[in-house]
Amino acid sequence: MDFKPKTENYKQKVKNSFNSQKFMDFIGAKLMKIEPGFCEIHLPYNDNLTQQDGFFHAGIISTLADNAAGYAAFSLMEEAASVLAVEFKLNLISPGIGDLLIARANVLKTGRTLSVCRADVFVMKDGVEKLCAASQATLIQIKKP
Amino acid sequence: MDFKPKTENYKQKVKNSFNSQKFMDFIGAKLMKIEPGFCEIHLPYNDNLTQQDGFFHAGIISTLADNAAGYAAFSLMEEAASVLAVEFKLNLISPGIGDLLIARANVLKTGRTLSVCRADVFVMKDGVEKLCAASQATLIQIKKP
Amino acid sequence: MDFKPKTENYKQKVKNSFNSQKFMDFIGAKLMKIEPGFCEIHLPYNDNLTQQDGFFHAGIISTLADNAAGYAAFSLMEEAASVLAVEFKLNLISPGIGDLLIARANVLKTGRTLSVCRADVFVMKDGVEKLCAASQATLIQIKKP
Amino acid sequence: MDFKPKTENYKQKVKNSFNSQKFMDFIGAKLMKIEPGFCEIHLPYNDNLTQQDGFFHAGIISTLADNAAGYAAFSLMEEAASVLAVEFKLNLISPGIGDLLIARANVLKTGRTLSVCRADVFVMKDGVEKLCAASQATLIQIKKP
């Protein structure tokens, strides 16, 4: 779908918010791409992010999906607004075995109050991407006073 | 509901798995309680775990909910089995503002293959617990070869 | 939890809305109980409502869960408002084999805009209730102009 | 994605199951298309299927999404297997105002035990399709004894 941002400043707005999330820095996540209604986040493998088998932890996978969905929605919101996740649902499709996690989110619907996004998380191993998780999320625009 | 574990060893089995998740150690999460079909996990506040407003990040909240659900289900599984999350859904109900996150999960149904759990996440501030998120999850038992 | 309705008229408001849903009449569903933040709906078995094995169809089970959640939330909304489902998630826990479906929904959180509910669906067979499905839903209050 | 069915008989298998669901006949739903990993179901408007405003009821919308997802997954399952919905999540994106509901489901992952699908529901009005709901579902293959 083709979306028009409500502010020319949409990329900077998303970057500023992403950069102020200390958790992103803590795990080593990087904001790679913002387009109107789209967001991509990367996260290199790191021993600290693993579950019992040494794979990416499901909490990390959901963190990336949730954040990508939030910023895809935020890219279409007004300048003087912030975004909050209302809820999301995530299916874990294959184990997080690889060197890099890639979350890509697309807006399905952007409304005055609520937005709906889908985010897919891929895991890259030996240069090949594999679908690792699929999610669907609802976001809300909070107008700043 | 009253559940009977399939192995006397169920507490140790859960502890061993939890302790082998490096991500739990990295964020500072602690396994507080395991009963048959129940799990409670605590996580003290830490600057590294925050989103743009300095509150607990939604990814952290979902990590705790997912892990509590997984181990509640695992407590009822066979000795020679491991547990994987199939999917989960989480509603963020109030902002994660406080000193401690507490996730509590209960099994709704334990089957031969699939289990269903509900997990609630509370945030403790000035000694008062507040519901922060509510989730529902599906888990699968993987028999070890 | 103890909720206070915003209008004395909350039971009548819910009944009026339920009675104007032709689909409820078509399938034979009955509104059995409304309390502040709670709703119960019953549906007797009927050959027309079945899937391939002759059990209650999952679509019927989700219809009941969705409606119970919607009216539990609506019971706490303002007089001059209507309710819409934003989304819901449903786990099918045991087959819908029995004479009567019973959906019970409780509000977890009621906010100015959004509400979150959990609804459980039970199937009654030979006088015994069994958990058939568990759901979690987000509802939105729409102010009438 | 390109899927290969495990049985030549996959279309007939889906048709037989669909035709044995009395609820599909009761509401007037029609199976329009089956391809490997894909299913499309149509449902013409009918007064009996409405909520309080005279639009398609959310329960009907979720019924169509759930069934399309189930049969998309079933098209890739073995001959001697049946399919059950484990769970699904549905976002209601715009009101069900129109003459025809169209549900289209695609398989994201087909495994030995579990499958994951996405189903979108469109509403057709004056010849124009509009996205009405988006869902994500988990299905399980039950081997016949």
Side-chain angles (χ1 to χ4, degrees):
Chain A
M1 246 182 296
D2 236 30
F3 292 109
K4 263 186 96 98
K6 292 199 184 67
T7 161
E8 283 184 25
N9 203 27
Y10 72 95
K11 288 197 189 194
Q12 196 56 48
K13 192 182 70 165
V14 170
K15 279 181 204 168
N16 292 347
S17 178
F18 188 95
N19 291 335
S20 64
Q21 292 199 337
K22 292 198 179 150
F23 189 47
M24 290 300 102
D25 186 48
F26 187 55
I27 60 176
K30 282 172 193 15
L31 181 65
M32 297 302 283
K33 200 172 174 186
I34 284 289
E35 299 294 335
F38 176 83
C39 177
E40 182 169 328
I41 298 173
H42 288 196
L43 176 59
Y45 182 83
N46 172 335
D47 220 33
N48 287 322
L49 311 178
T50 56
Q51 37 82 288
Q52 65 276 13
D53 302 309
F55 311 152
F56 280 107
H57 195 282
I60 281 293
I61 294 165
S62 76
T63 295
L64 244 61
D66 167 57
N67 243 19
Y71 287 127
F74 191 41
S75 74
L76 300 178
M77 290 180 181
E78 292 165 28
E79 181 80 34
S82 61
V83 61
L84 280 180
V86 171
E87 60 85 35
F88 63 93
K89 180 257 201 291
L90 182 107
N91 274 82
L92 295 149
I93 287 180
S94 53
I97 307 176
D99 317 311
L100 182 70
L101 273 189
I102 302 172
R104 296 190 184 99
N106 285 284
V107 170
L108 287 186
K109 159 75 182 282
T110 173
R112 262 180 319 164
T113 307
L114 298 177
S115 297
V116 180
C117 295
R118 275 181 176 149
D120 293 328
V121 182
F122 300 86
V123 64
M124 170 93 84
K125 189 162 182 283
D126 303 330
V128 181
E129 280 188 24
K130 190 175 177 181
L131 183 61
C132 171
S135 76
Q136 198 168 302
T138 310
L139 297 302
I140 190 167
Q141 169 172 281
I142 307 289
K143 296 252 175 87
K144 282 179 185 158
Chain B
M1 243 181 300
D2 236 32
F3 292 110
K4 262 186 97 97
K6 290 199 186 68
T7 159
E8 282 184 26
N9 203 27
Y10 73 95
K11 289 198 188 193
Q12 195 56 48
K13 191 182 69 165
V14 170
K15 279 181 203 170
N16 292 348
S17 178
F18 188 95
N19 290 336
S20 64
Q21 292 198 335
K22 292 197 181 153
F23 189 47
M24 290 301 102
D25 186 49
F26 187 55
I27 61 177
K30 282 171 193 16
L31 181 65
M32 296 302 282
K33 200 173 175 186
I34 285 288
E35 298 294 336
F38 176 82
C39 176
E40 181 170 328
I41 298 173
H42 287 197
L43 175 59
Y45 181 83
N46 172 335
D47 221 31
N48 287 322
L49 310 178
T50 57
Q51 37 83 286
Q52 66 275 14
D53 302 309
F55 311 153
F56 281 107
H57 196 281
I60 282 291
I61 295 165
S62 76
T63 295
L64 243 61
D66 166 57
N67 242 18
Y71 287 128
F74 191 41
S75 74
L76 300 178
M77 290 180 181
E78 292 166 26
E79 180 81 35
S82 60
V83 62
L84 281 180
V86 170
E87 60 83 38
F88 63 93
K89 180 256 199 291
L90 182 107
N91 274 81
L92 295 149
I93 286 180
S94 54
I97 307 176
D99 318 312
L100 182 70
L101 273 188
I102 302 172
R104 295 190 185 100
N106 285 286
V107 171
L108 286 186
K109 159 76 181 282
T110 174
R112 260 180 319 163
T113 307
L114 298 177
S115 297
V116 179
C117 295
R118 276 181 176 150
D120 293 328
V121 183
F122 300 86
V123 64
M124 170 92 83
K125 189 163 183 279
D126 304 329
V128 181
E129 280 188 24
K130 191 176 178 182
L131 183 61
C132 172
S135 76
Q136 199 168 303
T138 311
L139 297 302
I140 189 167
Q141 168 171 284
I142 308 289
K143 296 252 174 87
K144 284 183 186 155
Chain C
M1 245 181 297
D2 236 29
F3 292 110
K4 263 186 96 98
K6 291 198 185 67
T7 161
E8 282 184 26
N9 203 28
Y10 72 95
K11 288 197 188 194
Q12 195 56 47
K13 193 181 71 163
V14 170
K15 279 180 203 169
N16 292 347
S17 178
F18 188 96
N19 290 336
S20 65
Q21 292 199 337
K22 292 198 181 151
F23 188 48
M24 289 302 103
D25 186 48
F26 187 55
I27 60 176
K30 282 170 192 20
L31 181 64
M32 297 301 282
K33 200 173 174 185
I34 284 289
E35 299 295 333
F38 176 82
C39 176
E40 182 170 328
I41 298 173
H42 287 195
L43 176 60
Y45 182 83
N46 171 336
D47 220 33
N48 287 322
L49 309 179
T50 57
Q51 36 82 288
Q52 65 277 13
D53 302 309
F55 311 152
F56 280 107
H57 196 282
I60 281 291
I61 295 167
S62 75
T63 295
L64 243 62
D66 167 57
N67 242 20
Y71 287 126
F74 191 41
S75 74
L76 300 178
M77 291 181 181
E78 291 165 27
E79 180 81 35
S82 60
V83 62
L84 281 180
V86 171
E87 60 85 37
F88 63 92
K89 180 256 200 289
L90 181 106
N91 274 82
L92 295 150
I93 287 180
S94 53
I97 307 176
D99 317 312
L100 182 70
L101 273 189
I102 302 172
R104 297 190 183 98
N106 285 284
V107 170
L108 286 186
K109 159 76 182 282
T110 174
R112 262 180 318 163
T113 307
L114 298 177
S115 298
V116 179
C117 295
R118 276 182 175 149
D120 293 327
V121 182
F122 300 86
V123 63
M124 171 93 83
K125 189 164 182 283
D126 303 331
V128 181
E129 279 188 24
K130 191 177 176 181
L131 183 61
C132 171
S135 75
Q136 197 168 303
T138 310
L139 297 302
I140 190 167
Q141 168 171 283
I142 308 288
K143 296 252 175 86
K144 283 180 185 157
Chain D
M1 242 181 300
D2 236 31
F3 291 110
K4 263 186 96 96
K6 291 198 185 68
T7 160
E8 281 183 28
N9 203 27
Y10 72 95
K11 289 197 188 195
Q12 195 57 47
K13 191 182 69 165
V14 170
K15 279 181 204 170
N16 292 347
S17 177
F18 188 95
N19 290 336
S20 65
Q21 292 199 337
K22 293 197 179 153
F23 188 47
M24 290 301 102
D25 186 49
F26 187 55
I27 61 176
K30 283 172 192 16
L31 181 65
M32 297 302 282
K33 199 172 175 186
I34 285 288
E35 298 295 335
F38 176 81
C39 176
E40 181 170 328
I41 298 173
H42 287 198
L43 176 59
Y45 182 83
N46 171 334
D47 221 31
N48 287 322
L49 310 179
T50 56
Q51 37 83 286
Q52 65 276 13
D53 302 309
F55 310 152
F56 280 107
H57 195 281
I60 282 292
I61 295 166
S62 76
T63 295
L64 244 62
D66 166 57
N67 243 19
Y71 287 127
F74 191 42
S75 74
L76 300 177
M77 290 181 181
E78 293 166 25
E79 180 80 35
S82 60
V83 62
L84 281 180
V86 170
E87 60 84 37
F88 63 93
K89 181 257 199 290
L90 181 107
N91 274 81
L92 295 148
I93 286 179
S94 54
I97 307 177
D99 317 312
L100 182 70
L101 273 188
I102 302 173
R104 295 190 185 99
N106 284 286
V107 170
L108 286 186
K109 159 76 181 282
T110 173
R112 261 180 318 162
T113 307
L114 298 177
S115 297
V116 179
C117 295
R118 276 182 175 148
D120 293 328
V121 183
F122 300 86
V123 64
M124 171 92 84
K125 188 162 181 283
D126 304 329
V128 180
E129 281 188 22
K130 191 176 177 181
L131 183 61
C132 172
S135 75
Q136 198 169 303
T138 310
L139 296 303
I140 190 168
Q141 168 171 283
I142 308 288
K143 297 252 175 86
K144 284 182 186 156

